[in-house]
Amino acid sequence: MQSKRTLFLIEIAIFTALALALDLLPFLSFKVWAQGGSISFAMIPIFIVAFRWGLKGGLLAGFLYGMLQIATGTAWIAHPVQGALDYPVAFTVLGLAGLFAPAVQSALKNDNTKRFIGMVTLGVLVGVLLRFVAHYLAGVVFFESLIDGMNIWMYSLVYNGSYLLPSFFINVLAVSFLFNKRPSLVATTA
Amino acid sequence: MNKLILGRYFPGESYLHRLDPRLKLVAALYFIGLLFFVENGQGYIWLFLFTFLLMRLSGVSYSVYLKGVKPLIWLILFAVMLRVLFTGGGTIYFSLGPIMISRFGLLSGFYTFSRFIMIILISTVVTLTTKSIDLTDAIHALFKPLRLLRIPVDDFALMLSISLRFVPNLLDETQKVMDAQRARGVVFGEGNLIEQMKKLVPIVLPLFVSSLKRAEEMADVMEVKGYRSGEKRSSFRQLKWHLRDVAAIVCLIVLTLGVTFFNTFDFVLLFNI
């Protein structure tokens, strides 16, 4: 007898590792800015966990991914508040895509492709949008500490938008496509 | 490839390598905090001396540190430029419209530069001398008080170490799937973004499916071996507090006293705003 909780923990751990692996591999991620901010597949495992296990799983996977980047030294922290916002917070909010997990799963069960893709898009949109807000604020905090009176709000907007907007489209495409090809990815076995 | 995964750890036996990872983590955070309290140039020089001492102690060559700074140099120079060109005050050496080069501008450019460089260098010192797994243990130890709020800190630490353990395996696996695709004639890194995306989906899909299978098997094995979430576990790696850790704390206190001292008394007036 396998308890659901152990599987839940392990699955999230492995998918988080997968997220980091996808971010590290050349060809699989396109670096827009040298100091982080890449268009990559890294968010897909987080979204898959979110749609499989719901809100709790998504938030946990996101938070874990943020911390993993700090533990492996891939994180870039220049200011305490910026560090907290850019890593634990920004990736945790991705998990809010899990709010749409029940809708996605029921749409997939009923073979309602249109509704299914719509729900996935909505979930990914919510996640990426909130991640953007976190990075945006982090950017403002960061530049505020350097430059007074400059147009920092605009700068952070352009900087973070430049990689998150393409990332959004890539993730919607990839997640919908993957689930469509392999519906078993969404259904939890336990 | 492996360099990336195991953090950026550089094997060694230096004093810094042997320090308690909890202490290193907290000390690095403390140092970064301290940077924001420095008020004049001599304070920055004092902290620079300390940073270079740490770099020497780590036994890692300076070129490795330079590599850490390199990807960020443009951002740093950009920030410094903004500082220099738009800060007024003191003697003005040059001005053109809103742009000017003044004494204050040059000084605050120097402050910005120093702060950035030292943050990067100090965090590089920590990641070069500490294994990722030790950093995970340190994070675990520091978050332990959250147990009181019924947050499952131990489960979380377990997940973090499982993730760390599996990143290399997953990288290998990805590489294999990519090679299999290459053997079929796929060329990566060519074409526009959409074309590249299309090539990547057949790589990612088998990875996800095999990860799910692996997670299931691993959960089974762990349960068979008696793992129960929420029960007290012992650890193979034990962190111990040594005399050298106390010595490091003394160093930090001296460092802080130095900063306070230099903030209060100005010797090198050249560097002040």
Side-chain angles (χ1 to χ4, degrees):
Chain A
M1 222 328 257
Q2 185 186 57
S3 93
K4 205 169 171 175
R5 187 172 167 83
T6 310
L7 183 64
F8 171 79
L9 296 178
I10 304 303
E11 216 182 279
I12 291 177
I14 290 188
F15 268 75
T16 307
L18 194 55
L20 190 69
L22 290 178
D23 197 43
L24 288 178
L25 274 178
F27 300 126
L28 287 184
S29 70
F30 310 90
K31 294 266 178 262
V32 180
W33 302 94
Q35 58 283 358
S38 54
I39 306 172
S40 75
F41 282 74
M43 286 192 284
I44 299 175
I46 311 293
F47 286 127
I48 289 190
V49 169
F51 290 130
R52 276 171 70 83
W53 294 96
L55 187 61
K56 203 175 157 195
L59 293 177
L60 192 55
F63 180 67
L64 199 62
Y65 181 44
M67 295 304 281
L68 192 63
Q69 292 183 65
I70 296 179
T72 52
T74 42
W76 190 67
I77 297 171
H79 189 278
V81 181
Q82 170 263 336
L85 279 171
D86 256 349
Y87 293 96
V89 176
F91 291 99
T92 305
V93 293
L94 282 180
L96 286 170
L99 284 174
F100 297 89
V104 168
Q105 291 187 7
S106 78
L108 204 65
K109 219 177 259 168
N110 304 329
D111 260 345
N112 189 343
T113 315
K114 233 186 203 167
R115 188 178 148 75
F116 157 71
I117 291 179
M119 281 301 150
V120 167
T121 313
L122 214 60
V124 174
L125 180 69
V126 168
V128 174
L129 215 61
L130 287 169
R131 181 181 164 192
F132 174 75
V133 172
H135 283 317
Y136 179 62
L137 291 178
V140 170
V141 169
F142 170 67
F143 285 110
E144 191 115 75
S145 69
L146 297 171
I147 306 151
D148 335 276
M150 288 292 298
N151 208 340
I152 39 174
W153 297 89
M154 193 62 207
Y155 190 81
S156 182
L157 188 80
V158 172
Y159 177 89
N160 288 304
S162 66
Y163 66 90
L164 278 174
L165 197 67
S167 288
F168 164 69
F169 290 112
I170 287 178
N171 278 278
V172 169
L173 273 175
V175 175
S176 321
F177 192 75
L178 288 172
F179 283 171
N180 231 3
K181 274 227 148 168
R182 206 47 92 94
S184 60
L185 276 181
V186 189
T188 45
T189 41
Chain B
M1 188 71 61
N2 280 328
K3 257 188 299 181
L4 272 173
I5 303 144
L6 307 169
R8 289 180 295 174
Y9 178 66
F10 239 80
E13 280 295 313
S14 75
Y15 172 72
L16 288 174
H17 280 82
R18 281 175 290 139
L19 271 185
D20 192 299
R22 291 170 290 187
L23 179 81
K24 278 190 270 190
L25 198 62
V26 175
L29 291 174
Y30 179 76
F31 185 87
I32 291 173
L34 202 61
L35 277 173
F36 288 84
F37 283 97
V38 177
E39 283 166 13
N40 49 32
Q42 54 192 5
Y44 280 110
I45 292 172
W46 166 246
L47 290 183
F48 256 127
L49 286 176
F50 181 76
T51 310
F52 281 117
L53 180 74
L54 287 187
M55 284 162 64
R56 258 213 95 77
L57 271 177
S58 73
V60 181
S61 82
Y62 292 120
S63 63
V64 178
Y65 287 99
L66 279 180
K67 261 186 219 148
V69 176
K70 223 167 140 195
L72 297 163
I73 198 72
W74 292 112
L75 181 82
I76 296 173
L77 289 181
F78 175 71
V80 172
M81 280 279 289
L82 285 176
R83 271 281 181 185
V84 171
L85 294 181
F86 295 100
T87 313
T91 323
I92 290 170
Y93 303 115
F94 172 81
S95 83
L96 187 92
I99 296 172
M100 61 189 133
I101 297 179
S102 66
R103 190 182 151 79
F104 282 16
L106 285 175
L107 282 173
S108 74
F110 168 72
Y111 295 171
T112 305
F113 180 78
S114 313
R115 198 184 289 169
F116 259 114
I117 295 285
M118 275 193 273
I119 287 173
I120 298 169
L121 291 177
I122 284 293
S123 46
T124 310
V125 166
V126 174
T127 46
L128 286 178
T129 58
T130 320
K131 289 184 200 136
S132 295
I133 199 75
D134 289 334
L135 271 181
T136 313
D137 286 346
I139 293 174
H140 181 197
L142 294 177
F143 277 112
K144 258 180 194 165
L146 289 178
R147 269 186 194 154
L148 294 174
L149 299 171
R150 297 189 153 265
I151 294 172
V153 181
D154 303 289
D155 283 350
F156 182 73
L158 174 80
M159 292 167 79
L160 204 55
S161 30
I162 290 177
S163 292
L164 272 179
R165 170 66 187 75
F166 273 100
V167 172
N169 294 47
L170 289 166
L171 276 172
D172 275 352
E173 218 165 289
T174 318
Q175 211 75 30
K176 266 184 208 151
V177 180
M178 283 174 84
D179 286 342
Q181 293 285 336
R182 277 201 189 97
R184 295 183 176 128
V186 178
V187 183
F188 294 105
E190 240 177 41
N192 61 29
L193 205 64
I194 304 281
E195 276 167 28
Q196 294 208 33
M197 288 278 315
K198 277 189 190 148
K199 288 177 197 160
L200 298 179
V201 173
I203 297 171
V204 179
L205 193 63
L207 278 179
F208 284 148
V209 175
S210 75
S211 297
L212 284 181
K213 208 182 277 167
R214 172 174 287 163
E216 209 170 310
E217 284 167 8
M218 197 168 157
D220 278 338
V221 172
M222 282 175 66
E223 301 238 315
V224 168
K225 292 198 172 180
Y227 173 77
R228 293 286 175 277
S229 159
E231 257 166 60
K232 204 171 154 50
R233 299 175 63 223
S234 55
S235 178
F236 177 67
R237 296 178 304 274
Q238 297 284 347
L239 295 175
K240 263 201 209 113
W241 199 251
H242 294 278
L243 199 62
R244 55 174 174 260
D245 300 309
V246 182
I249 290 181
V250 174
C251 286
L252 280 178
I253 293 172
V254 172
L255 187 74
T256 313
L257 288 178
V259 169
T260 330
F261 180 73
F262 286 123
N263 274 347
T264 331
F265 304 100
D266 285 333
F267 297 106
V268 199
L269 288 166
L270 191 74
F271 276 112
N272 297 324
I273 284 188

